[in-house]
Amino acid sequence: MKALVYHGPGHRSWQDVPDPRITASTDAIVRVDAVTICGTDLHILKGDVPAVEPGRILGHEAVGTVTAAGSAVGTVKEGDRVLVSCITACGRCRYCRTGMYGQCLGGGGWILGHRIDGTQAEYVRVPFADTSTHPLPDAVADETALMLADILPTAYEVGVLNGRVRPGDTVVVVGAGPIGLAAITTARLFTPSHIVAVDPAPARLEAAKRLGADVLVGSGDDPATAIAELTRGLGADVTIEAVGVPETFELCTRLVRPGGHVANVGVHGAPATLHLEDLWIRNVTITTGLVDTHSTPVLLDMIAAGRLDPSAFITHRFGLEQMDEAYRTFSDPMATGALKVVLTRQ
């Protein structure tokens, strides 16, 4: 089959690789019908995730069709259309039994495209298929369901829920890329009074406005001044970091009010300074997290019912064989305006 293979920082190729095969009775083989590229994949290609070894097939998000299932798989079968979650769950360990699937000790967690071969391929082996795939209703299209593989549950759980967004809050989202836009979309479920998007790219700020941000802070604006004016000097109730660089994390800690919450969602590849000399007295709560995907069934139900529509995140569409072109487009959003790209089997 063809797959996107990582060959060390800055190097990748769409090449022939062996077909995956079932290696455990709990595995399923899924034909990839739709796949996307994540900002985390770009972090890997920059060398920010050293656990990813050369030769690894990248990708951790897919919608596809089950072509084979191990003898112990009971909830999906050959021919079923499924969402492949970015998080794999053994379902038995201490963390899985409390819903913290991202911290799975039984061979799961974030492993696809990280510890084992991932989804940017024509086929993928999915361990623990019963607890790591979600059967899809006919009413939900492949590319819509694909947004549930990572960005929607990540933004919702690690950003909105960890940040404890409540009705009437002022919520600041720093970074209006796909994760930031998903945070804006899911923060609206809690009816905050204001959602502020901070990003230097005008196209992304326009997307944030379409998805529900009512205050836009661009490259020529001072975020601290904008938030002070909006909140009468109090600061934001919740700040959500959705970039993954030191400057944006430190900005979030400056914009939050005393007693507020900073929810870090971005993937960081460099140290950030935690200014405890300023924060210790302000009763600020800072959270980090890897998504657990415990919210995926609820979000799927909302999409199927027409209460949530993530299709606006998708700006570019490609055939699966156009993987290199899709990467070039996604990795240069300032020039291309890319948010999420979707690649489908032709």
Side-chain angles (χ1 to χ4, degrees):
M1 69 172 185
K2 292 285 190 180
L4 194 284
V5 180
Y6 172 68
H7 291 293
H11 300 283
R12 65 176 193 268
S13 66
W14 179 249
Q15 65 182 70
D16 290 315
V17 298
D19 291 346
R21 58 185 181 85
I22 289 174
T23 61
S25 61
T26 52
D27 290 349
I29 303 299
V30 176
R31 184 191 72 200
V32 174
D33 298 326
V35 68
T36 186
I37 303 169
C38 181
T40 304
D41 298 318
L42 300 186
H43 279 284
I44 291 170
L45 283 163
K46 291 176 184 175
D48 290 344
V49 189
V52 180
E53 299 175 348
R56 177 70 63 229
I57 296 172
L58 297 184
H60 50 267
E61 307 159 85
V63 168
T65 304
V66 176
T67 60
S71 59
V73 176
T75 60
V76 295
K77 63 185 185 303
E78 185 177 348
D80 283 353
R81 179 169 160 262
V82 297
L83 168 72
V84 178
S85 176
C86 65
I87 297 296
T88 305
C90 77
R92 300 187 304 270
C93 72
R94 168 69 179 271
Y95 290 124
C96 283
R97 289 171 69 88
T98 57
M100 293 178 63
Y101 309 119
Q103 305 302 322
C104 176
L105 295 172
W110 172 38
I111 56 172
L112 290 171
H114 181 205
R115 304 285 186 177
I116 68 171
D117 287 336
T119 58
Q120 289 170 7
E122 294 179 310
Y123 293 86
V124 60
R125 178 180 71 89
V126 182
F128 308 115
D130 280 334
T131 46
S132 306
T133 62
H134 299 267
L136 291 172
D138 293 339
V140 178
D142 284 0
E143 66 176 34
T144 303
L146 188 58
M147 301 300 104
L148 284 169
D150 187 349
I151 65 166
L152 268 177
T154 293
Y156 181 57
E157 295 174 22
V158 186
V160 175
L161 295 185
N162 279 2
R164 299 193 179 181
V165 174
R166 296 179 298 180
D169 277 354
T170 294
V171 178
V172 176
V173 179
V174 178
I179 287 289
L181 295 175
I184 290 168
T185 299
T186 53
R188 293 182 64 195
L189 299 172
F190 293 85
T191 61
S193 60
H194 297 289
I195 300 177
V196 183
V198 181
D199 198 285
R204 292 194 165 194
L205 289 179
E206 282 302 312
K209 183 178 180 179
R210 291 195 302 271
L211 291 168
D214 60 294
V215 179
L216 309 177
V217 179
S219 59
D221 305 316
D222 177 32
T225 300
I227 302 309
E229 292 176 352
L230 185 66
T231 63
R232 299 184 298 278
L234 292 177
D237 299 286
V238 181
T239 59
I240 297 175
E241 197 286 328
V243 182
V245 297
E247 294 81 5
T248 51
F249 172 77
E250 293 165 26
L251 175 62
C252 283
T253 66
R254 294 195 300 272
L255 297 179
V256 72
R257 67 166 174 82
H261 289 76
V262 177
N264 182 87
V265 188
V267 177
H268 289 263
T273 301
L274 182 62
H275 289 283
L276 285 176
E277 74 278 11
D278 299 323
L279 294 169
W280 73 270
I281 202 169
R282 297 177 57 210
N283 295 22
V284 171
T285 299
I286 299 173
T287 58
T288 65
L290 174 66
V291 66
D292 292 312
T293 66
H294 61 74
S295 67
T296 301
V298 171
L299 295 170
L300 177 57
D301 287 346
M302 294 175 69
I303 289 174
R307 301 294 185 183
L308 196 62
D309 180 12
S311 61
F313 303 149
I314 303 165
T315 56
H316 294 75
R317 294 168 175 85
F318 300 91
L320 194 59
E321 73 283 356
Q322 296 175 289
M323 186 69 72
D324 283 329
E325 183 181 349
Y327 258 94
R328 286 193 296 270
T329 299
F330 183 69
S331 62
D332 191 11
M334 294 293 283
T336 64
L339 295 173
K340 288 299 283 185
V341 302
V342 171
L343 301 95
T344 54
R345 176 179 294 274
Q346 300 298 300

